[in-house]
Amino acid sequence: MEGIVEQGGIRLDKWLAGRFPQVSRQRWQEWIEAGGVLVNGERVKPAYKLRTGDRIEYTLPPDRPPAIDLRPEPIPVEIVYEDEHLLVVNKPRGLTVHPAPGHPHGTLVNALLAYAPRLAQGSAPFRPGIVHRLDKDTTGLLIVAKTDQAHARLSAELQRHAIERRYLALVWGEPKWEQYTVDLPIGRHPIDRKRMVTFGGRGSAEPNLKGKALPSRKADAIKARPARTHFTVRQRWRGFTLLEAKLDTGRTHQVRVHASAIGHPVVGDPLYGGRRSLPPSLYPPEAQARLQAALDALPAQLLHAYALAFRHPITDEPIRLTVPLPDDFKQVLALLNEVEQVESFCENHP
């Protein structure tokens, strides 16, 4: 079923409950969280404030909530910080953060339930403790709340942009700048709904088409959310640059989309132009072959959430954490340093 919002300003769950009074508002909230309702083609929160012209696609919720088995699973997870209120993990590549319909097992949440059975309720039954998320193949630091009080306060800090999140990304190309801020809204791609894209005054800029503007549906542009990323150059090589990215917002795929939008996709990124061949004769033949083989072997993007800074939700004490790069990331940097005989930025910065 589908509906178009004629007058905005109302919450999504309230709008649905008003149209279908036989279904409780709480049941609609559960169904929205489970993905049974889309607004302009993407999942949103039950509290999403509708805008005039929004397109709502939905099915009526079944009599019982979708079954997601939250059983503990013995999946190894690295704990970087822990106290009675929260913990911080170093998420490995390939680990999805929480279960979802179609992916009920083998997630970070399943691992956490085996490690710490009592977690905060979270924003949905299948996301206990989760404060923020990382893409499945992005590595690094992630905060998990053990208590509801900690979860509420950390979530509020995240909304106020008071939690500092820094990433390291190896990108293609050699920027002409040392620091650059990308301030471009991000929304769902108008054609490939599994991907995100930046929206500007001329519509959406499709990274894999070398900046060519795609026609964007009005609803997509309206749904795009503000996003800001601050990039800083940390090290340069021929054809590559190590960037630090500091987030002001936390949109889906934000660093990857913004890096690609400015012509420097993250190396190894399968969605946003990061899988490619080296330019001819960039390095001597033997070095070129070794580097290309290493790039071809990458499982995914070289993007790592290496630093977090925030205030403890209960004691208000400052917490600053960093974690080293994963091995495959370090190996590519070591190879670049070897072929150019330079000192690595990461040797003195974990």
Side-chain angles (χ1 to χ4, degrees):
M1 290 184 281
E2 183 174 307
I4 301 296
V5 177
E6 296 181 356
Q7 184 174 355
I10 188 173
R11 285 172 53 123
L12 173 60
D13 56 353
K14 189 174 181 180
W15 185 89
L16 289 163
R19 289 172 67 96
F20 300 94
Q22 72 273 25
V23 180
S24 71
R25 187 169 169 183
Q26 180 179 359
R27 186 69 190 92
W28 276 118
Q29 291 171 352
E30 295 170 350
W31 191 230
I32 293 167
E33 291 281 6
V37 180
L38 301 178
V39 178
N40 302 322
E42 71 174 299
R43 295 171 65 164
V44 296
K45 296 290 187 183
Y48 171 78
K49 285 292 184 68
L50 293 170
R51 302 176 183 180
T52 301
D54 276 351
R55 187 183 77 259
I56 304 177
E57 303 168 65
Y58 58 93
T59 58
L60 290 175
D63 292 337
R64 300 179 63 184
I68 296 180
D69 185 4
L70 284 181
R71 65 168 180 252
E73 297 180 32
I75 301 170
V77 60
E78 179 185 353
I79 307 298
V80 177
Y81 172 91
E82 183 177 13
D83 61 29
E84 61 185 305
H85 305 286
L86 63 96
L87 56 86
V88 179
V89 303
N90 183 16
K91 189 187 84 67
R93 191 184 311 285
L95 186 63
T96 300
V97 171
H98 62 77
H103 194 139
H105 308 302
T107 72
L108 176 62
V109 162
N110 297 112
L112 291 170
L113 289 173
Y115 177 81
R118 299 188 65 179
L119 297 173
Q121 181 177 357
S123 59
F126 50 89
R127 288 205 295 261
I130 299 301
V131 176
H132 61 112
R133 286 173 280 182
L134 293 174
D135 300 337
K136 175 182 177 181
D137 288 317
T138 296
T139 56
L141 293 168
L142 192 76
I143 306 172
V144 179
K146 289 184 174 181
T147 67
D148 292 341
Q149 183 182 28
H151 188 277
R153 292 184 178 180
L154 287 167
S155 297
E157 291 294 281
L158 194 67
Q159 290 293 321
R160 294 196 309 108
H161 313 308
I163 296 178
E164 182 178 293
R165 293 164 290 167
R166 294 181 183 267
Y167 294 69
L168 287 174
L170 184 67
V171 302
W172 290 92
E174 303 171 52
K176 296 181 180 180
W177 39 264
E178 293 299 318
Q179 293 183 321
Y180 193 83
T181 295
V182 181
D183 195 348
L184 291 171
I186 292 176
R188 192 68 57 180
H189 192 286
I191 298 173
D192 184 350
R193 308 304 285 180
K194 294 182 180 180
R195 302 170 59 208
M196 310 302 289
V197 69
T198 57
F199 285 83
R202 297 177 61 188
S204 60
E206 166 52 60
N208 283 346
L209 297 181
K210 300 181 180 179
K212 179 181 178 181
L214 286 177
S216 62
R217 298 184 298 186
K218 182 179 180 180
D220 292 315
I222 290 174
K223 185 62 183 68
R225 303 176 68 186
R228 185 182 299 110
T229 308
H230 305 283
F231 289 110
T232 301
V233 172
R234 291 307 183 194
Q235 190 166 353
R236 296 178 181 271
W237 302 267
R238 273 176 287 168
F240 299 92
T241 305
L242 182 68
L243 295 181
E244 180 184 77
K246 179 179 177 293
L247 302 187
D248 279 358
T249 52
R251 308 304 176 215
T252 301
H253 301 176
Q254 179 171 321
V255 175
R256 299 161 63 189
V257 173
H258 274 174
S260 189
I262 59 173
H264 300 288
V266 178
V267 170
D269 193 330
L271 285 181
Y272 301 106
R275 289 197 177 277
R276 58 176 68 172
S277 297
L278 292 168
S281 304
L282 183 66
Y283 290 102
E286 181 182 353
Q288 180 108 349
R290 291 173 60 203
L291 183 55
Q292 186 65 64
L295 297 178
D296 291 343
L298 289 174
Q301 64 271 6
L302 292 183
L303 178 62
H304 179 62
Y306 86 103
L308 269 177
F310 60 98
R311 289 197 168 274
H312 194 282
I314 307 302
T315 67
D316 202 40
E317 291 294 319
I319 297 176
R320 291 187 173 273
L321 302 168
T322 60
V323 287
L325 294 170
D327 289 343
D328 56 358
F329 202 146
K330 288 192 289 188
Q331 289 165 4
V332 172
L333 297 190
L335 185 54
L336 284 169
N337 292 331
E338 178 185 340
V339 298
E340 293 210 6
Q341 298 183 344
V342 296
E343 181 181 356
S344 171
F345 165 82
C346 292
E347 287 180 1
N348 298 314
H349 299 77

